[in-house]
Amino acid sequence: MKEGCGTAAWSDVAPITLNDEALMLEFQAGSRAAFEELYSRYHGRLYGFFRRRLNGDQRAEDLTQDTFLALIRAAAHYERRSLLRTYLYGIAMNLLLAERRKRAKDGLPLEQTSEPSTHVDSDAVLWIRQALQKLDQCEREILMLREYEQLSYAEIGALLELPVNTVRSRLFRARTALREQLEPCIRLNQTAVAGAPHETARLTRAEGEAI
């Protein structure tokens, strides 16, 4: 590790299976293997966090790397007072907000939609994405943090600076609003696939892919 990055010289000793917080302490002490394990655990999750919120924009990978760079720079100041994943998503949230402010200032669209379609971009997935965009921004964020990032109510509250009870109530409203938005699509889907019961679950599966 280069001097000035906030950790001691790299050690290549592989860490025993440790939880995130213990790995972070090992990283503070200079373990390259500990950082590599954290990177392995969270790269995909953080990339998904950015990609979903930027609709697949290529900036998702850049912002994922920026998150880990910020973690490296702040390593010396990390204290084991909360879950490391909350700490990482806090960094990611700040970078996302900065990205959105920059795009707004430059007059650029906040979300890019020009990325080529993938195998999950079915009609059902697109319906989900469109329905999500109609939700209140805060409620949409709470829903995504809960369902996709699988954060606890307390973690979401800490990230968004909201009381836990507020998180619960807004999550309930978001789920209800999403279901109401999707009901016409569900009815249309069921009519279109009458006589093929296994297809009627397609929209439900797609919800998990798109949120």
Side-chain angles (χ1 to χ4, degrees), residues 2-71:
K2 293 182 179 179
E3 185 178 355
C5 288
T7 63
W10 283 115
S11 167
D12 291 321
V13 178
I16 302 173
T17 302
L18 300 171
N19 63 29
D20 296 339
E21 295 69 40
L23 280 172
M24 188 61 186
L25 295 179
E26 290 288 317
F27 171 49
Q28 279 184 322
S31 170
R32 179 191 299 272
F35 176 78
E36 290 175 348
E37 175 62 22
L38 288 172
Y39 186 90
S40 176
R41 290 182 187 184
Y42 282 97
H43 176 271
R45 302 182 198 182
L46 291 169
Y47 176 76
F49 171 88
F50 289 116
R51 188 179 187 280
R52 282 185 288 273
R53 288 157 179 80
L54 297 174
N55 274 356
D57 189 280
Q58 63 183 7
R59 280 285 290 156
E61 179 61 30
D62 296 336
L63 292 170
T64 300
Q65 297 301 323
D66 288 346
T67 302
F68 284 107
L69 286 173
L71 179 68

Side-chain angles (χ1 to χ4, degrees), residues 52 128-129 132 143-144 147-148 178 206-211:
R52 282 185 288 273
I128 297 291
R129 290 176 179 168
L132 281 170
L143 179 64
M144 294 176 74
E147 301 298 340
Y148 243 120
L178 183 64
E207 183 171 349
E209 297 171 352
I211 295 178

Side-chain angles (χ1 to χ4, degrees), residues 77-111:
H77 306 291
Y78 171 78
E79 296 181 6
R80 192 173 178 175
R81 291 186 295 185
S82 62
L83 294 176
L84 180 68
R85 70 174 183 177
T86 308
Y87 188 72
L88 274 172
Y89 281 117
I91 294 173
M93 185 69 73
N94 288 336
L95 288 171
L96 177 67
L97 294 176
E99 177 74 8
R100 286 173 169 167
R101 287 194 297 268
K102 181 178 184 300
R103 292 187 180 196
K105 181 180 179 181
D106 294 341
L108 299 173
L110 297 183
E111 295 178 333

Side-chain angles (χ1 to χ4, degrees), residues 5 11 21 36 38 77 112 137 155 160 162 175 187:
C5 288
S11 167
E21 295 69 40
E36 290 175 348
L38 288 172
H77 306 291
Q112 301 290 340
Q137 182 176 353
E155 288 176 296
L160 302 182
L162 293 171
R175 285 171 170 163
R187 289 196 296 270

Side-chain angles (χ1 to χ4, degrees), residues 181-202:
Q181 291 285 345
L182 289 173
E183 279 182 354
C185 299
I186 293 172
R187 289 196 296 270
L188 176 63
N189 187 61
Q190 289 173 335
T191 300
V193 297
H198 67 281
E199 287 291 338
T200 62
R202 185 165 62 95

